[in-house]
Amino acid sequence: MTRRNCREMKVGELAPLGQWERPGEFFRLRLEGDGFAQWAPGQFVMLRPLSWGPEILWGRPFSIAGADAGGVSVFFQVVGRGTSRLAQLSSGEGVTVWGPLGNGFALEPGTPTLMLAGGVGIAPFQGYAAAHPKPADLELFFAHRLPLACYPYAELAARTRAEEMCEEKPGDLERIIARLRERIAAMAGKGLVLACGPTPFLRTVREAALESGTRAQVSLENRMACGVGACLGCVSKDGQGHHVQVCTRGPVFWAGDVQI
């Protein structure tokens, strides 16, 4: 990784999204500084605040929700020690950022494209919809468990056609899976499917895409430590059973090229 891929940026904005039992568990973080002149929706960054000491050695990976020459934005949920500390950052604090990393989603103007997002997996589609030259070609299907206001769904729904389903009670998961399969099969032979979300969600997408012959890409959410292929902590198997680093060979793969 070249030095230009690693930079120090400053916290410009840290804003909570939604209010529920634990207010402020979802955040939008904007970092300002020497941003990215070029990046592909679906790529990610590793973040490590300068205030972190040896108690948190590794940075944390986040999908790029938006980026420009002046900064980068991410969307995250507080789920552990690292994200809890990120949620306590103050305006102006320094953060080491390395990226953009990995491969992004295919962007095919003129091709009907279905974006499938599960939970926080909605993040990269913010950047994808903003970068797409023909938003009318895009559709979003969003599956979630927590209140809709916790996610940047409204922003995407304002840009393109969108459908959401919430898993709240017994039977909802089966209905979501059935709808996923229906939407994927409807794209067979005429469009492109892109997916990001938790592993069970992606496994369903991959299986449905291969069964129906639908062109599909999946963005894996494997745990990462270094982000540059050195630590081997994010390894998965490709379609031939060979081990591959998700951070450098992915995180976006064609459905037939990775095992989930």
Side-chain angles (χ1 to χ4, degrees):
M1 183 171 62
T2 62
R3 290 188 63 180
R4 66 183 178 86
N5 292 116
C6 188
R7 68 207 74 194
E8 181 182 331
M9 305 181 79
K10 302 292 184 181
V11 175
E13 180 185 23
L14 180 64
L17 277 75
Q19 295 290 322
W20 58 297
E21 302 94 87
R22 286 170 285 180
E25 187 172 1
F26 292 77
F27 290 86
R28 186 197 318 276
L29 172 64
R30 167 76 178 181
L31 298 171
E32 298 177 344
D34 181 16
F36 307 146
Q38 294 183 331
W39 64 286
Q43 289 185 298
F44 69 100
V45 289
M46 300 289 296
L47 306 182
R48 190 178 190 280
L50 301 183
S51 60
W52 286 7
E55 74 280 2
I56 305 181
L57 291 176
W58 299 102
R60 296 295 188 269
F62 298 96
S63 294
I64 299 173
D68 52 45
V72 60
S73 298
V74 301
F75 166 68
F76 69 92
Q77 179 182 7
V78 175
V79 294
R81 182 173 57 168
T83 47
S84 179
R85 290 281 295 273
L86 279 176
Q88 298 170 22
L89 290 173
S90 300
S91 178
E93 280 197 56
V95 177
T96 299
V97 180
W98 52 106
L101 303 171
N103 301 312
F105 287 115
L107 196 155
E108 302 178 356
T111 299
T113 301
L114 174 62
M115 304 176 293
L116 302 176
V120 183
I122 197 172
F125 295 123
Q126 290 182 270
Y128 189 88
H132 202 284
K134 295 184 177 181
D137 291 335
L138 302 179
E139 294 185 63
L140 170 70
F141 176 83
F142 180 48
H144 59 103
R145 289 181 176 175
L146 301 177
L148 200 57
C150 294
Y151 307 94
Y153 174 81
E155 299 171 20
L156 274 166
R159 301 181 67 92
T160 186
R161 290 167 290 174
E163 175 187 4
E164 58 88 14
M165 294 182 69
C166 184
E167 183 184 350
E168 297 179 289
K169 56 186 182 299
D172 284 347
L173 179 59
E174 288 73 17
R175 285 187 284 274
I176 290 172
I177 291 174
R179 184 58 174 157
L180 268 178
R181 289 182 169 275
E182 179 183 7
R183 295 296 301 269
I184 293 169
M187 298 294 286
K190 64 178 183 181
L192 174 67
V193 168
L194 310 174
C196 184
T199 297
F201 180 88
L202 296 180
R203 187 176 295 121
T204 296
V205 171
R206 178 181 181 273
E207 291 174 354
L210 295 180
E211 289 171 5
S212 62
T214 303
R215 296 172 62 238
Q217 290 186 322
V218 293
S219 178
L220 303 192
E221 293 190 339
N222 292 33
R223 288 181 176 272
M224 298 180 188
C226 72
V228 294
C231 70
L232 303 181
C234 64
V235 168
S236 284
K237 290 185 178 181
D238 65 15
Q240 289 72 47
H242 302 137
H243 289 93
V244 294
Q245 297 106 312
V246 170
C247 61
T248 55
R249 295 283 295 277
V252 177
F253 296 87
W254 288 99
D257 293 341
V258 68
Q259 298 180 28
I260 303 176

